């Protein structure tokens, strides 16, 4: 059953050196507060998994916490490159980074296979693509019924998955609203899981028609972390900070400015710092 605890406790109990770590959230509900706590606790040798690695993985890579990454698109959305990611791949700074690139469809299917406890995913994909030439984990299988040749990729089974969501109840059940991406599958595929939330409430109802409810028995830890998705947005709570994504391009482009930013805003920070970004909904409610 989900343990409701502090972010420091959740990371300390569930994220270990050498883990395969998935942190999902598609355009919104990206678990930035949790990523910062991983950096503060000095985790290392992580193999990162994310469909669309953006700023939070740029930060983890830049501090040397990652040994590798499986992904399907990497960049600063709407702005450009991830400079710490590029520096690690091109110059091995601060350490070499193993990369395994897939398509979006393959990643989504691999998470689905992991959630279903299957060893691999099968899809119609990679037709005419060259990724299979550089990624030995893209293979093919022949359908025993039709003879059709299909693409196959290993299931994603993280040691630990971390997501952000809008609400949890006091028993640890979690509600996700808006674009759900592969958050549900990432949690169900993982051995351990952490969910940070904007609010802890008595009841999750009434959810919107497209809501996802994750049951408490599928979650290891739930953390009250208002503002924990900033600078991404939390549907119904606060908007995306486009200004921060633009500013990150300059911050991360230079090693010294990146290191200074991490020291000031992450290493010297605390989870409660994110709460100042979660004032919009409260102000509207008042």
């Amino acid at each position: 059953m989900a343990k409701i605890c502090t972010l420091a406790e959740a990371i300390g109990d569930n994220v270990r050196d050498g883990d395969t770590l998935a942190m999902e959230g598609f355009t919104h509900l990206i678990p930035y507060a949790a990523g910062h706590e991983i950096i503060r606790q000095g985790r290392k040798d992580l193999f990162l998994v994310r469909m669309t690695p953006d700023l939070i993985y740029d930060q983890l890579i830049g501090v040397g916490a990652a040994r590798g990454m499986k992904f399907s698109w990497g960049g600063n959305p709407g702005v450009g490159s991830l400079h710490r990611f590029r520096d690690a791949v091109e110059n091995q700074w601060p350490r070499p980074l193993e990369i395994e690139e897939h398509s979006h469809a393959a990643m989504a299917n691999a998470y689905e296979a992991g959630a279903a406890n299957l060893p691999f995913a099968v899809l119609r994909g990679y037709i005419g693509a060259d990724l299979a030439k550089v990624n030995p984990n893209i293979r093919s299988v022949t359908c025993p019924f039709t003879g059709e040749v299909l693409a196959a990729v290993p299931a994603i089974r993280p040691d630990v998955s971390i997501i952000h969501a809008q609400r949890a109840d006091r028993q640890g059940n979690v509600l996700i609203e808006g674009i759900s991406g592969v958050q549900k599958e990432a949690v169900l595929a993982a051995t351990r899981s952490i969910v940070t939330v904007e609010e802890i409430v008595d009841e999750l109802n009434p959810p919107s028609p497209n809501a996802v409810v994750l049951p408490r028995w599928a979650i290891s830890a739930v953390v009250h972390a208002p503002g924990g998705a900033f600078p991404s947005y939390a549907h119904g709570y606060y908007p995306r900070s486009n200004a921060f994504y633009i500013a990150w391009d300059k911050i991360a482009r230079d090693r010294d400015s990146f290191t200074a930013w991490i020291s000031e805003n992450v290493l010297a920070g605390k989870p409660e710092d994110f709460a100042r970004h979660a004032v919009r909904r409260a102000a509207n409610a008042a």
Side-chain angles (χ1 to χ4, degrees), residues 19 132 217 246 251:
D19 272 353
W217 50 261
I246 293 170
I251 293 167

Side-chain angles (χ1 to χ4, degrees), residues 68-101:
M69 184 168 69
K70 177 184 288 192
F71 66 104
S72 51
W73 178 89
N76 184 340
V79 180
S81 294
L82 293 176
H83 299 295
R84 295 302 92 223
F85 173 35
R86 288 193 62 165
D87 205 6
V89 172
E90 295 175 354
N91 304 305
Q92 293 75 56
W93 192 94
R95 59 173 296 178
L97 186 75
E98 171 192 350
I99 59 172
E100 182 180 334
E101 187 175 358

Side-chain angles (χ1 to χ4, degrees), residues 38-138:
I38 290 170
I39 293 172
R40 280 192 291 271
Q41 293 198 17
R43 293 296 181 270
K44 59 182 182 296
D45 294 324
L46 301 172
F47 188 84
L48 305 177
V49 182
R50 180 166 162 76
M51 284 186 67
T52 56
D54 50 14
L55 275 55
I56 189 58
Y57 275 14
D58 210 30
Q59 293 168 13
L60 286 165
I61 291 167
V63 300
R67 59 182 165 86
M69 184 168 69
K70 177 184 288 192
F71 66 104
S72 51
W73 178 89
N76 184 340
V79 180
S81 294
L82 293 176
H83 299 295
R84 295 302 92 223
F85 173 35
R86 288 193 62 165
D87 205 6
V89 172
E90 295 175 354
N91 304 305
Q92 293 75 56
W93 192 94
R95 59 173 296 178
L97 186 75
E98 171 192 350
I99 59 172
E100 182 180 334
E101 187 175 358
H102 287 276
S103 67
H104 278 347
M107 291 285 289
N109 278 276
Y111 271 121
E112 186 83 28
N117 198 25
L118 294 170
F120 65 93
V122 177
L123 67 149
R124 287 190 176 96
Y126 295 115
I127 298 170
D130 288 333
L131 271 178
K133 297 177 181 178
V134 296
N135 185 346
N137 281 328
I138 300 170

Side-chain angles (χ1 to χ4, degrees), residues 61-245:
I61 291 167
V63 300
R67 59 182 165 86
M69 184 168 69
K70 177 184 288 192
F71 66 104
S72 51
W73 178 89
N76 184 340
V79 180
S81 294
L82 293 176
H83 299 295
R84 295 302 92 223
F85 173 35
R86 288 193 62 165
D87 205 6
V89 172
E90 295 175 354
N91 304 305
Q92 293 75 56
W93 192 94
R95 59 173 296 178
L97 186 75
E98 171 192 350
I99 59 172
E100 182 180 334
E101 187 175 358
H102 287 276
S103 67
H104 278 347
M107 291 285 289
N109 278 276
Y111 271 121
E112 186 83 28
N117 198 25
L118 294 170
F120 65 93
V122 177
L123 67 149
R124 287 190 176 96
Y126 295 115
I127 298 170
D130 288 333
L131 271 178
K133 297 177 181 178
V134 296
N135 185 346
N137 281 328
I138 300 170
R139 304 187 189 181
S140 62
V141 294
T142 301
C143 174
F145 303 104
T146 66
E148 182 181 3
V149 177
L150 300 165
V153 293
I156 294 175
R157 299 299 305 272
D159 295 304
V160 58
S161 289
I162 303 177
I163 65 170
H164 189 77
Q166 281 91 346
R167 298 189 290 284
D169 65 22
R170 302 191 190 283
Q171 287 71 49
N173 302 296
V174 167
L175 176 74
I176 305 170
E177 293 183 299
I179 301 171
S180 57
V182 292
Q183 287 100 313
K184 175 186 71 174
E185 291 80 4
V187 168
L188 295 179
T191 303
R192 303 178 298 278
S193 57
I194 300 169
V195 184
T196 56
V197 296
E198 293 295 324
E199 294 183 277
I200 295 180
V201 297
D202 292 330
E203 295 183 2
L204 296 180
N205 293 327
S208 61
N210 68 327
V212 174
V213 175
L214 288 169
R216 59 183 179 174
W217 50 261
I219 301 166
S220 303
V222 170
V223 176
H224 182 215
F230 182 88
S232 75
Y233 73 98
H235 176 70
Y237 288 78
Y238 46 87
R240 182 182 192 265
S241 175
N242 293 323
F244 186 87
Y245 282 83

